[in-house]
Amino acid sequence: MRLILNIIWLVLSGFWMAVGYVVAGIICCVLIVTIPFGIASFRIAGYALWPFGRTTVERRDAGAASCVGNVVWL
């Protein structure tokens, strides 16, 4: 079932969403200050390309810098 859902997602919108995240990641990596956001954008592109069957895990050791990064990302 996951395979079928992933293929449907890929055909309908996943490919273009992943391309958008990759382009945003490249732009973020060109600007030196936003390299961590570029790396996160590449990671999100992988999730946008093939989302079903993956899980997210909260990291307890992320700290305050992660909170500030999330606010800036938003």
Side-chain angles (χ1 to χ4, degrees):
M1 189 65 174
R2 288 185 296 193
L3 179 66
I4 294 169
L5 289 173
N6 279 323
I7 291 172
I8 291 171
W9 173 261
L10 183 67
V11 170
L12 294 178
S13 65
F15 176 74
W16 293 111
M17 188 180 292
V19 168
Y21 275 116
V22 167
V23 169
I26 290 171
I27 291 170
C28 285
C29 285
V30 167
L31 305 170
I32 302 301
V33 176
T34 57
I35 287 176
F37 298 114
I39 293 169
S41 182
F42 293 137
R43 192 174 305 126
I44 293 171
Y47 284 113
L49 194 60
W50 206 254
F52 296 101
R54 294 186 176 197
T55 59
T56 57
V57 178
E58 182 181 353
R59 289 183 54 185
R60 298 283 182 191
D61 61 339
S66 175
C67 181
V68 171
N70 285 332
V71 169
V72 171
W73 180 274
L74 180 65

